[in-house]
Amino acid sequence: MRARYRFAEWTLAADADARFVGECLDCGERCADTSSADEAQGWCLQHAGLTGDRRFQMKGIQSFTAYMTNAAVDGAPPAT
């Protein structure tokens, strides 16, 4: 019996807008996540002014969902 291969094409779709978190690398304190990079940076500057801490990191978070784009065309089983 010969092997039969089916290839599926997948696509990522963003679930929501990106979120940003500013974190102090000196003390570990973090701001609440926000949809604005400017707000996260503003928190870092405010924290620096209040504490004298100087090292910060900002993280951007984006969630995605993967779905099969060609399932109906190729007769591949639907994504679960």
Side-chain angles (χ1 to χ4, degrees), residues 6-74:
R6 267 192 245 188
F7 297 95
E9 184 175 313
W10 289 81
T11 299
L12 291 177
D15 291 338
D17 293 336
R19 307 292 294 173
F20 299 92
V21 176
E23 179 180 2
C24 177
L25 297 177
D26 291 331
C27 74
E29 190 173 341
R30 295 178 182 161
C31 70
D33 72 13
T34 176
S35 61
S36 169
D38 289 340
E39 284 181 29
Q41 289 177 352
W43 177 89
C44 294
L45 293 172
Q46 183 179 18
H47 183 78
L50 292 171
T51 64
D53 292 347
R54 300 174 49 128
R55 298 178 318 119
F56 296 89
Q57 177 175 319
M58 189 167 69
K59 297 176 184 176
I61 303 145
Q62 179 70 62
S63 299
F64 295 94
T65 297
Y67 64 94
M68 200 177 299
T69 56
N70 63 348
V73 174
D74 294 340

